[in-house]
Amino acid sequence: MTSVHPLPVPGRELANPPTDGISNLRFSNHSDNLLVSSWDKSVRLYDASANILRGEFMHGGPVLDCCFHDDSSGFSASADNKVRRIMFSHGKEDVLGRHDAPVRCIEYSYAAGQVITGSWDKTLKCWDPRGASGQERTLVGTYQQPERVYSLSLVGNRVVVATAGRHVNVYDLRNMSQPEQKRESSLKYQTRCVRCYPNGTGYALSSVEGRVAMEFFDLLEASQAKKYAFKCHRKSEAGRDIVYPVNAIAFHPVYGTFATGGCDGFVNVWDGNNKKRLYQYSKYPTSIAALSFSRDGRLLAVASSYTFEEGDMLHEPDAIFVRSVNEIEVKPKPKVYPNPPA
Amino acid sequence: MSTPKNDPLIQVETTCGTLLYELQIIWDEVGETDADRDEMLLELERECLEVYRRKVDQANHCRAQLRRTIADSEAELAAICSAMGERPVHIRQSDQNAGSLKEELSKILPQLEEMKKRKIERRNQFVEVLEQIQKITNEIYGSSVSISSKTVVDETDLSLRKLEELHRQLHELEKEKSDRLKQVQDYLNTLNSLCSVLGMDFMLTVDEIHPSLGDPKGFTSISDDTIEQLATLIKKLLEVKIQRMERLQDLATTMLELWNLMDTPIGEQQMFQNVTRNVAASEHEIIEPNTLSVDFINYVEAEVSRLEQLKSSKMKELVLKKRLELEEICRKTHLLPDSDCAIEDAIEAIESGFADAATILEQIELQIAKVKEEALSRKEILEKVEKWLTACDEECWLEEYNRDENRYNAGKGAHLTLKRAEKARALVNKLPGMVEALASKTMAWEKEREIEFLYDGIRLLSMLEEYTILRKEKEQERRRLRDQKKLQGQLIAEQEALYGSKPSPSKPQSVKKGPRYSTGGASNRRVSLGGAMMTTHKPDSLHPAKATPKTRPSKKNERMQNDHLNHRHDDATVFSAIRRGLDIVDTPVRKHSSTPRASNAIEPESPLLARKPFSPITSAVSAKSNTTNMLEVEDNGEKSHKMHHQNNDLPYATPLKTIPFVDEENRTPKVMPFPCTPSTVSVPMQTAMTPAATPAPIPFAITKPVEEIEQSFEERRLASLLSKTQITTSYALVRVCAS
């Protein structure tokens, strides 16, 4: 399945990639291990620095999201409605519980010690993975959402839930009874991805129409005045713009800058504070499905995998690239001119 | 009798013999009688005897004298020996004759001399020791016995034992003295450290007890009195120290709490590090000079009180903020905030110490929660009210517009106005239904909750009622006007028939006045702008055609299209300039949200007519000018005043509604006057952007306008996957536009 790329592919391609679309990938908080979920019903654990496939776990349906618990276990969200825990060392997995529809996204909160899942059954569920097996033991709570959950992000005790219908609910993990804030996306089109700022002051939200909105939790006017949105992942061709969905946002753990990945196959790095693009990596073979910085921000994992934006069609093979990140690519630059002439 | 001794005697005898012989010769010569001679010789013999006797007596006396002297000496010697506690070695044994008396005496005398000398020496030793004892005693027991008084030595006992005893005594005294000195020194050291910690002058303190204590070199008082005083002083100072320490630690604890509470910056904390460091220290651990001085404690106290003040002001601020938040929520939900806990009252209560800021805060928070809850229940109705009020606004505008006879003149933006009018007409037609629905909803709400639904303190139902009445009146008025016009028309026709044609008198006025109103004030400009956008919005949503959401004309084309088609409210011509060419846009949001309240608050006080120049002439005004019954006018005026104010005020009161149009990127559709779900918004967007003629590169070709269900790529993918496995035919129906 190797295809010929005229361009030098940026970064090292991992061997044994998933055989179908990559739904998400994440670096561990403790090592350079990389957890990858895929539409081929598998969750794979790679050692990204050694380029070794450490383990592969097959599920009953496509896996839409995965996350680490610690270096020995992780969680997965599957389209067979189940939420699973995977023990890497034993090669074991058990079912934490289930939703009524495919589980779209999953996060583990170190603050609450809970797994949080969002599903197309229009609910958010919190699980206590320490509970004995069985849904009634592990399920902490179910929280109704206005629409199907599309994306989920955590920072501290805050949970930001983005759903269909452009709803955005902000929860406090300590009081999940009702949203702390109910918002509507500032963008006019369907939400693709939401990610909280590492400093916990807000979140970035991307849509299918080549835009990213930078939002702030604080409802004071002064804070809200800071929010803005910008266009990205577009192409001007023959006098018209082609606009691509922005599938992935990943914040740099050290500098707070962030990378976005779009269906145009580009990965851009942005400085949100100075409103500047810091870097654009050369084009990847196909859409960027997911992005993740390693714990120290030295590595960036890029899932180059068709995201079905144009339906069932032939596409480039799914691949994972791990590239080392130069400081200059992600370090914020002080602003010289408010806006350089375009 | 030894020979040498005989010699003088012989000579004496010879002399006597010769003398006697001489005498015999003389006598012979004289011829003395024998009797005379015998007598003379007897006398001579008697005289000689007398001399002998006398000499013997003398010798005897001398001997006795000698003996006494010896005895005396011996006695003295014995006394001295006994006093000195020595055995009298040289005491003469009475039986043992040591020789003549003179020998004996000569033997004793040097002994005596020797002993006397020794005695004096010993005595001097005694005196010396005793003097020292005396001196030390004086030092210890105070100067009750004068130092100058001569020491009395007990002469009878000068023995070595005694001396030794005295020495021992002296030694003891010396030891005691050194002990005391040490103690005093200890005390002084303690005192010194105490004084330094407490910030007192050590010398001054010590001088009060005994002036000698302050002098490090010289004599130091060690009397009982001094020691006692020192001990008392130390005890007293220690008490003071402990007291102050507790005070300081109290202050430090408070300070720490306050820091913690207010997140005081480290830099500010550093200055008081030496205070807080001692929070848990025990008495003996506090040794740093001045740590417990009055000045320092005052200084710390001042800081604490400053912090307290800061805290209370922050608390106050917090109360204010919460209160404002409450009011903001109330304002947003058109509830009247509880008047019983106005900010001023709360602040006053806090300042007077009457109420604790924390409890007030709690109260306010409780209220906020309550109001929020109430707001939730009111939300649905409020949305309807907003819609109704917007509609009323539009109605007013429409009325005004209809009055403008120049309205069909083509001019800048005329097409926008036309569109708006078209839309407003549709809206006005819907108004009665809207009012009815609102009223029934409100009634249901009131019934359920058994309280009146108040909108800014006015009962909503009465507002609605007033509005309906007003509307009816307006209708009548309109009918009347129409009749009048008809009549006038007839009259003019008659006059024309009589005097020839004449320009209509009413025309020039209305022509000039009308447009000026609609574009006069800044506020009206905003209204018309908003209106313009609203109207452009409508055709958008009506457009049936559809294209991909991802393609759009590049900016230059876009602008041109805007000018021609006016389809895109997205990049309204007025604002597109701001964003053009900028990839990232700063968006001012809700800058005006604070202004409406102010105008709203002032509004009710201003007389009705004061607003006239800047507001469209409403039915209320016209009704007033046209009614004949004065009483009714008053009534009407007042009644409609509220309505009028509500309607009229909208452009000011709700910039939220217009601003969302200003910036479509960050608008908040919640407050949009028209329910507009994202899907319906996005659909017209697509049509607007791509006129079907241009064959644009379309990356996402799946656009089935039939479907309205929003689906993400993943959902479509899963559906596709399922359909593949299940071979169902519903696939085509499920595939939908991504947005």
Side-chain angles (χ1 to χ4, degrees):
Chain A
M1 284 287 284
T2 48
S3 54
V4 185
H5 301 297
L7 289 163
V9 173
R12 185 153 39 92
E13 185 172 350
L14 288 186
N16 301 312
T19 56
D20 200 351
I22 296 163
S23 53
N24 199 10
L25 49 72
R26 290 188 205 238
F27 268 111
S28 159
N29 278 340
H30 309 288
S31 62
D32 286 341
N33 284 355
L34 187 70
L35 200 62
V36 181
S37 58
S38 161
W39 283 84
D40 68 0
K41 304 184 182 180
S42 77
V43 175
R44 284 157 199 252
L45 179 69
Y46 294 91
D47 184 330
S49 43
N51 196 357
I52 302 169
L53 176 62
R54 278 273 165 85
E56 187 177 358
F57 308 89
M58 296 306 291
H59 290 349
V63 190
L64 301 184
D65 199 359
C66 62
C67 67
F68 272 101
H69 181 198
D70 46 42
D71 257 5
S72 63
S73 62
F75 303 101
S76 70
S78 170
D80 64 0
N81 306 0
K82 285 177 185 158
V83 181
R84 289 179 176 82
R85 172 177 32 206
I86 308 162
M87 320 284 240
F88 305 138
S89 47
H90 308 94
K92 262 189 1 190
E93 55 174 74
D94 47 36
V95 176
L96 274 186
R98 30 186 317 144
H99 276 272
D100 297 333
V103 192
R104 174 65 187 91
C105 37
I106 189 160
E107 290 283 346
Y108 179 75
S109 163
Y110 291 92
Q114 289 179 0
V115 177
I116 296 139
T117 55
S119 161
W120 292 338
D121 68 2
K122 303 187 186 177
T123 65
L124 193 70
K125 283 180 194 260
C126 290
W127 312 88
D128 186 348
R130 292 163 297 195
S133 197
Q135 185 157 351
E136 60 286 347
R137 303 270 175 81
T138 50
L139 183 63
V140 177
T142 302
Y143 312 102
Q144 209 62 40
Q145 298 303 315
E147 253 294 355
R148 287 150 288 156
V149 178
Y150 280 170
S151 187
L152 190 63
S153 182
L154 280 182
V155 65
N157 279 314
R158 277 223 168 80
V159 184
V160 180
V161 185
T163 71
R166 297 166 48 254
H167 300 282
V168 177
N169 279 350
V170 182
Y171 282 93
D172 187 327
L173 265 177
R174 295 163 296 191
N175 175 20
M176 294 290 289
S177 56
Q178 58 182 21
E180 190 179 28
Q181 294 176 26
K182 283 184 184 171
R183 297 191 178 191
E184 196 148 326
S185 163
S186 324
L187 306 183
K188 291 196 299 179
Y189 295 91
Q190 185 186 90
T191 305
R192 273 305 276 166
C193 179
V194 65
R195 288 291 177 264
C196 293
Y197 308 159
N199 66 11
T201 58
Y203 59 89
L205 181 143
S206 68
S207 77
V208 294
E209 189 254 358
R211 262 182 226 263
V212 175
M214 307 299 287
E215 304 275 355
F216 293 88
F217 292 128
D218 191 348
L219 291 174
L220 288 179
E221 236 173 84
S223 298
Q224 289 300 310
K226 286 192 289 182
K227 78 175 193 177
Y228 65 92
F230 62 93
K231 301 180 197 170
C232 51
H233 297 282
R234 288 155 184 250
K235 192 162 73 178
S236 225
E237 208 170 69
R240 57 185 57 252
D241 285 351
I242 307 174
V243 185
Y244 296 91
V246 183
N247 292 325
I249 306 171
F251 277 90
H252 192 274
V254 180
Y255 295 115
T257 50
F258 59 99
T260 57
C263 286
D264 54 355
F266 278 106
V267 174
N268 292 323
V269 183
W270 307 86
D271 178 355
N273 291 330
N274 294 320
K275 299 182 180 170
K276 269 188 169 176
R277 190 170 77 183
L278 292 175
Y279 205 79
Q280 181 171 50
Y281 294 119
S282 53
K283 194 170 183 296
Y284 285 89
T286 179
S287 306
I288 306 303
L291 289 169
S292 177
F293 279 106
S294 64
R295 66 193 193 285
D296 53 5
R298 297 245 173 86
L299 297 176
L300 176 64
V302 181
S304 162
S305 172
Y306 176 58
T307 49
F308 215 72
E309 56 269 21
E310 288 169 82
D312 203 0
M313 60 172 252
L314 268 178
H315 54 82
E316 296 284 341
D318 305 293
I320 300 164
F321 297 97
V322 175
R323 57 172 306 137
S324 46
V325 177
N326 288 326
E327 201 166 74
I328 193 153
E329 299 162 1
V330 291
K331 193 171 179 179
K333 280 177 212 146
K335 200 177 196 175
V336 184
Y337 304 105
N339 263 315
Chain B
M1 282 274 168
S2 59
T3 28
K5 267 198 177 176
N6 285 342
D7 213 13
L9 278 176
I10 292 164
Q11 275 181 355
V12 172
E13 266 176 44
T14 339
T15 317
C16 282
T18 49
L19 279 174
L20 207 51
Y21 179 68
E22 238 188 270
L23 206 49
Q24 222 146 10
I25 295 170
I26 297 167
W27 278 347
D28 284 347
E29 238 184 67
V30 167
E32 279 301 314
T33 66
D34 279 346
D36 282 342
R37 276 188 197 187
D38 280 346
E39 208 177 320
M40 287 243 310
L41 277 173
L42 195 69
E43 197 182 334
L44 191 64
E45 234 160 78
R46 210 173 44 236
E47 269 177 22
C48 272
L49 200 72
E50 193 67 23
V51 168
Y52 271 107
R53 193 169 285 137
R54 219 171 40 234
K55 281 285 169 198
V56 166
D57 274 358
Q58 209 176 348
N60 201 13
H61 187 73
C62 192
R63 190 185 62 185
Q65 186 79 33
L66 201 58
R67 276 205 182 118
R68 206 166 50 239
T69 310
I70 289 173
D72 278 357
S73 295
E74 274 181 344
E76 198 180 346
L77 188 62
I80 290 173
C81 279
S82 94
M84 306 231 320
E86 271 174 39
R87 279 184 67 82
V89 196
H90 297 291
I91 284 235
R92 174 182 54 108
Q93 267 80 23
S94 48
D95 48 331
Q96 188 187 347
N97 210 333
S100 73
L101 284 176
K102 282 203 175 184
E103 268 172 33
E104 205 175 316
L105 184 63
S106 69
K107 227 184 207 169
I108 281 180
L109 272 178
Q111 274 185 26
L112 185 61
E113 283 310 307
E114 167 81 16
M115 281 317 276
K116 273 188 180 164
K117 219 165 75 190
R118 278 176 63 187
K119 185 188 164 187
I120 286 167
E121 268 171 29
R122 180 71 60 82
R123 218 183 87 104
N124 285 342
Q125 278 179 341
F126 266 77
V127 167
E128 200 181 311
V129 172
L130 280 174
E131 264 175 3
Q132 280 184 34
I133 289 176
Q134 185 67 48
K135 198 173 138 222
I136 294 174
T137 317
N138 279 350
E139 276 178 20
I140 293 176
Y141 302 106
S143 48
S144 52
V145 186
S146 161
I147 299 168
S148 60
S149 75
K150 201 77 195 136
T151 41
V152 183
V153 182
D154 182 8
E155 299 276 348
T156 56
D157 192 355
L158 294 173
S159 65
L160 277 174
R161 203 160 46 83
K162 176 80 173 173
L163 186 64
E164 227 164 85
E165 199 179 294
L166 284 177
H167 267 298
R168 212 180 311 125
Q169 200 182 338
L170 176 65
H171 193 69
E172 263 166 29
L173 281 172
E174 272 174 345
K175 206 171 145 237
E176 186 174 351
K177 182 185 169 182
S178 79
D179 281 354
R180 280 174 181 245
L181 263 176
K182 218 173 121 219
Q183 196 181 3
V184 168
Q185 207 50 57
D186 276 357
Y187 278 154
L188 286 178
N189 285 343
T190 316
L191 207 57
N192 195 0
S193 74
L194 278 175
C195 283
S196 87
V197 169
L198 295 180
M200 293 162 72
D201 188 352
F202 171 65
M203 287 298 175
L204 223 67
T205 321
V206 154
D207 258 6
E208 269 171 36
I209 295 174
H210 200 284
S212 69
L213 294 173
D215 186 4
K217 282 261 155 54
F219 159 80
T220 311
S221 170
I222 51 166
S223 68
D224 281 345
D225 196 31
T226 309
I227 289 177
E228 201 178 313
Q229 279 190 39
L230 276 176
T232 331
L233 186 64
I234 285 172
K235 205 174 148 208
K236 205 181 83 198
L237 287 183
L238 209 60
E239 266 164 27
V240 171
K241 182 180 174 186
I242 288 172
Q243 209 178 333
R244 288 200 192 165
M245 185 188 76
E246 277 163 6
R247 173 93 189 99
L248 190 72
Q249 287 179 350
D250 275 359
L251 288 173
T253 318
T254 319
M255 201 184 255
L256 281 176
E257 273 166 16
L258 288 172
W259 283 348
N260 197 24
L261 211 63
M262 295 190 289
D263 287 335
T264 309
I266 294 291
E268 215 170 298
Q269 294 188 10
Q270 217 96 52
M271 280 157 53
F272 293 91
Q273 209 56 254
N274 52 348
V275 181
T276 49
R277 204 176 41 213
N278 288 331
V279 152
S282 53
E283 178 271 315
H284 64 271
E285 280 171 306
I286 300 178
I287 44 168
E288 211 170 301
N290 263 343
T291 324
L292 294 174
S293 69
V294 179
D295 286 350
F296 188 69
I297 288 186
N298 284 346
Y299 171 55
V300 174
E301 218 162 20
E303 172 69 9
V304 168
S305 72
R306 187 185 72 84
L307 288 173
E308 294 269 13
Q309 234 161 23
L310 203 67
K311 181 196 159 192
S312 77
S313 80
K314 281 202 175 163
M315 261 326 236
K316 233 181 282 165
E317 241 168 66
L318 208 62
V319 166
L320 266 173
K321 217 170 92 181
K322 279 286 168 195
R323 179 68 202 170
L324 285 176
E325 188 187 327
L326 174 64
E327 275 171 10
E328 170 79 16
I329 294 169
C330 284
R331 192 170 59 71
K332 270 190 194 151
T333 54
H334 300 279
L335 276 169
L336 279 193
D338 280 359
S339 50
D340 60 320
C341 57
I343 292 183
E344 292 76 25
D345 292 353
I347 293 304
E348 217 168 273
I350 294 166
E351 267 169 4
S352 64
F354 192 66
D356 184 19
T359 46
I360 288 182
L361 206 63
E362 210 170 292
Q363 272 176 13
I364 293 179
E365 262 174 29
L366 213 72
Q367 268 173 356
I368 288 178
K370 219 171 68 194
V371 168
K372 270 189 183 160
E373 204 178 310
E374 194 172 345
L376 214 65
S377 79
R378 290 163 58 97
K379 196 181 159 203
E380 202 183 347
I381 293 178
L382 273 182
E383 272 168 13
K384 279 205 188 312
V385 171
E386 294 294 325
K387 259 187 251 168
W388 169 56
L389 288 178
T390 321
C392 286
D393 201 26
E394 280 300 281
E395 188 187 18
C396 284
W397 177 83
L398 186 65
E399 231 166 82
E400 170 74 10
Y401 173 77
N402 282 341
R403 217 168 284 125
D404 176 9
E405 305 201 355
N406 235 358
R407 60 181 178 266
Y408 299 121
N409 280 6
K412 207 173 172 188
H415 54 289
L416 294 178
T417 331
L418 253 172
K419 288 229 164 73
R420 180 176 173 186
E422 188 184 336
K423 188 144 185 248
R425 248 168 244 132
L427 201 62
V428 167
N429 283 342
K430 274 190 255 165
L431 250 168
M434 212 186 265
V435 170
E436 209 165 299
L438 186 53
S440 72
K441 258 249 153 54
T442 313
M443 273 192 278
W445 190 90
E446 287 190 346
K447 206 171 169 189
E448 189 187 323
R449 264 157 248 268
E450 291 177 337
I451 45 168
E452 293 189 345
F453 189 98
L454 297 180
Y455 187 87
D456 284 336
I458 304 158
R459 193 175 172 198
L460 183 60
L461 278 180
S462 66
M463 278 168 69
L464 291 171
E465 209 174 311
E466 270 165 33
Y467 173 77
T468 346
I469 292 167
L470 208 68
R471 194 180 165 85
K472 269 183 202 146
E473 265 168 19
K474 241 193 285 180
E475 214 127 289
Q476 279 177 351
E477 174 68 20
R478 211 174 291 142
R479 215 173 298 135
R480 211 176 56 77
L481 265 174
R482 215 181 300 141
D483 290 351
Q484 205 178 355
K485 214 172 191 177
K486 216 188 275 168
L487 215 70
Q488 207 173 17
Q490 273 180 347
L491 212 74
I492 287 170
E494 276 171 29
Q495 278 182 341
E496 269 178 14
L498 280 173
Y499 310 108
S501 75
K502 236 188 195 177
S504 161
S506 59
K507 205 178 173 186
Q509 278 179 349
S510 61
V511 164
K512 287 229 164 91
K513 248 185 182 171
R516 199 181 300 148
Y517 283 146
S518 59
T519 53
S523 52
N524 273 340
R525 188 187 299 277
R526 207 188 305 161
V527 177
S528 63
L529 187 62
M533 291 197 216
M534 273 191 263
T535 43
T536 52
H537 186 76
K538 197 182 167 192
D540 278 355
S541 56
L542 290 175
H543 256 269
K546 208 172 181 189
T548 79
K550 313 301 175 336
T551 55
R552 48 151 75 167
S554 72
K555 305 233 164 72
K556 269 178 196 163
N557 285 349
E558 194 175 70
R559 216 183 325 153
M560 278 170 64
Q561 277 179 347
N562 273 338
D563 289 339
H564 288 298
L565 301 170
N566 251 310
H567 276 171
R568 294 187 35 119
H569 70 258
D570 169 21
D571 281 314
T573 47
V574 186
F575 294 95
S576 59
I578 300 168
R579 311 212 333 262
R580 202 167 298 129
L582 304 179
D583 219 23
I584 296 173
V585 193
D586 252 322
T587 55
V589 189
R590 299 185 182 185
K591 272 197 184 142
H592 304 281
S593 60
S594 56
T595 50
R597 274 304 111 185
S599 61
N600 208 3
I602 295 160
E603 183 66 12
E605 282 148 39
S606 63
L608 179 65
L609 288 172
R611 291 208 57 81
K612 202 176 166 189
F614 292 105
S615 56
I617 303 157
T618 59
S619 55
V621 181
S622 58
K624 189 176 175 179
S625 58
N626 281 303
T627 34
T628 44
N629 188 336
M630 272 312 282
L631 258 173
E632 212 183 300
V633 168
E634 282 296 310
D635 190 29
N636 251 346
E638 197 149 275
K639 250 191 190 173
S640 57
H641 174 255
K642 278 167 193 162
M643 283 301 305
H644 170 77
H645 142 66
Q646 289 294 347
N647 294 349
N648 239 1
D649 216 29
L650 266 175
Y652 305 89
T654 54
L656 293 188
K657 276 166 209 153
T658 49
I659 279 174
F661 293 96
V662 170
D663 194 275
E664 44 98 19
E665 274 311 320
N666 279 319
R667 67 169 175 187
T668 41
K670 270 181 200 163
V671 287
M672 274 184 59
F674 304 102
C676 141
T677 63
S679 55
T680 49
V681 173
S682 58
V683 171
M685 282 302 302
Q686 294 154 14
T687 45
M689 277 173 275
T690 50
T694 43
I698 301 167
F700 316 113
I702 319 115
T703 39
K704 300 276 192 245
V706 207
E707 292 299 326
E708 288 297 327
I709 305 162
E710 175 190 7
Q711 281 203 318
S712 63
F713 304 143
E714 285 77 18
E715 284 165 293
R716 279 162 44 203
R717 187 175 200 152
L718 189 67
S720 145
L721 211 73
L722 292 174
S723 70
K724 254 191 224 166
T725 49
Q726 294 167 4
I727 319 170
T728 53
T729 50
S730 60
Y731 173 54
L733 284 170
V734 182
R735 295 167 79 199
V736 217
C737 160
S739 41

